[in-house]
C-alpha cells in the first residue's frame, strides 16, 4: 500500500482525501491518502520524517507551499516559476521532486466554466504562494493580469518576476483601477479565518465573473458570499480547481490521469 497525504493548517476541511480515494478506485491504484495537520514550528522536521518513513508523495496547502518548496531537491518549471509547490513526489533515488499543479487546475476549471478567453483583464487578489502558483499558466493563456495585495511591494515583486511572461502589473488594495475586470480571482487564504479582503465593493459589482480559489463544505466561502451580496451573477468557488490540481498531482504520482467529470457532476464529495 503506497502512502500519500495532504499537509496544511488548518486541514480538517480538506476534501482531498475523498477525491484521491475516488481517483484510486477509478484507476485501480493501491494507495492510501489522508489529511495531516502540520505544526508551524516543526513542519520541515515532520514532513521529512513522513518521507523517511516511506511515503511516496503529498500535497501541500496553506500556509506551507513555500516552505515545502525549499525542502525539494528537483523542480518542475511551474514550481520554479512559482517558488512554491503544492505537490511533492519521492523519486526512486530518495530525492524530493516539487511540482505546482494549482495553475493547471485553475486554468482547466476556468475553461470548463467558459471564463477563459484570450486577452481578458484579470484581477488577482493576494500575492502569496497561491497567487504565485497560478500566474505562469494564466499568462500563458494570454490573460492581462493586475495583482493586488495589502503590501504593494509584495505584489510588485511578483510582477517583476513574471513580467517576461506576459502583461502583468501591480496595484495596492486601495488603488485597484475601478474598471470592469472580466475576472476577479481571490488568491488569499483569508476565507479560512472567515474573512475577506477590504476592497472597493464596486470592483466586484463591475466584474464579469468572480472566482474564489478557496472552497468550503456545504456553504459559501466568505468571498463567494460577499460577491453574491453585491449582485455578481457569475460566481464560483475553487472546488473545480481543487479537483483539477488533484488530478494532475495524481498523474505525477501514479502515471495515470483520472476522470474528473464524475466529481464535478455530483455532490458525492
Amino acid at each position: 500500500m503506497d502512502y500519500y497525504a495532504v499537509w496544511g493548517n488548518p486541514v480538517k476541511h480538506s476534501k482531498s482525501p475523498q477525491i484521491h480515494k475516488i481517483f484510486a478506485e477509478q484507476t485501480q491504484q493501491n494507495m492510501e491518502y489522508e489529511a495531516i495537520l502540520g505544526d508551524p514550528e516543526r513542519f520541515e522536521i515532520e514532513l521529512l520524517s513522513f518521507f523517511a518513513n516511506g511515503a511516496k508523495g503529498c500535497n501541500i496547502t496553506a500556509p506551507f507551499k513555500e516552505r515545502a518548496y525549499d525542502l525539494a531537491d528537483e523542480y518542475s518549471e511551474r514550481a520554479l516559476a512559482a517558488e512554491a509547490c503544492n505537490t511533492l513526489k519521492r523519486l526512486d533515488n530518495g530525492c524530493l521532486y516539487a511540482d505546482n499543479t494549482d495553475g493547471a487546475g485553475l486554468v482547466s476549471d476556468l475553461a470548463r466554466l467558459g471564463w477563459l478567453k484570450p486577452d481578458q483583464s484579470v484581477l488577482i487578489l493576494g500575492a502569496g504562494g497561491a497567487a504565485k502558483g497560478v500566474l505562469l499558466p494564466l499568462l500563458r493563456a494570454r490573460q492581462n493580469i493586475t495583482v493586488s495585495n495589502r503590501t504593494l511591494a509584495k505584489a510588485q515583486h511578483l510582477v517583476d518576476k513574471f513580467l517576461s511572461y506576459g502583461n502583468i502589473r501591480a496595484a495596492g488594495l486601495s488603488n485597484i483601477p475601478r474598471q470592469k475586470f472580466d475576472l476577479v480571482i481571490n488568491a488569499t487564504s483569508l476565507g479560512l479565518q472567515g474573512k475577506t479582503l477590504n476592497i472597493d465593493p464596486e470592483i466586484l459589482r463591475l466584474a464579469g465573473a468572480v472566482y474564489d480559489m478557496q472552497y468550503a463544505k456545504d456553504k459559501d466561502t466568505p468571498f463567494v458570499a460577499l460577491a453574491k451580496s453585491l449582485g455578481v451573477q457569475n460566481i464560483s468557488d475553487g472546488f473545480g480547481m481543487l479537483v483539477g490540481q488533484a488530478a494532475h498531482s495524481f498523474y505525477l504520482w501514479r502515471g495515470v490521469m483520472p476522470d474528473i467529470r464524475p466529481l464535478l457532476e455530483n455532490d458525492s464529495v
Side-chain angles (χ1 to χ4, degrees), residues 179-195:
Q179 67 180 67
K180 179 176 180 178
F181 288 96
D182 296 301
L183 176 64
V184 176
I185 298 173
N186 176 37
T188 76
S189 59
L190 287 173
L192 296 174
Q193 305 160 37
K195 301 176 183 177

Side-chain angles (χ1 to χ4, degrees), residues 16 18 26 31 65 71 85 88 108 139 153 159 168 179 189 197-198 208 220 228 236:
S16 291
Q18 295 162 273
Q26 183 191 101
M31 58 181 281
K65 292 182 180 184
L71 291 178
C85 70
L88 288 171
S108 66
L139 288 168
V159 168
I168 183 170
Q179 67 180 67
S189 59
L197 278 178
N198 184 23
D220 290 335
K228 284 184 176 179
S236 178

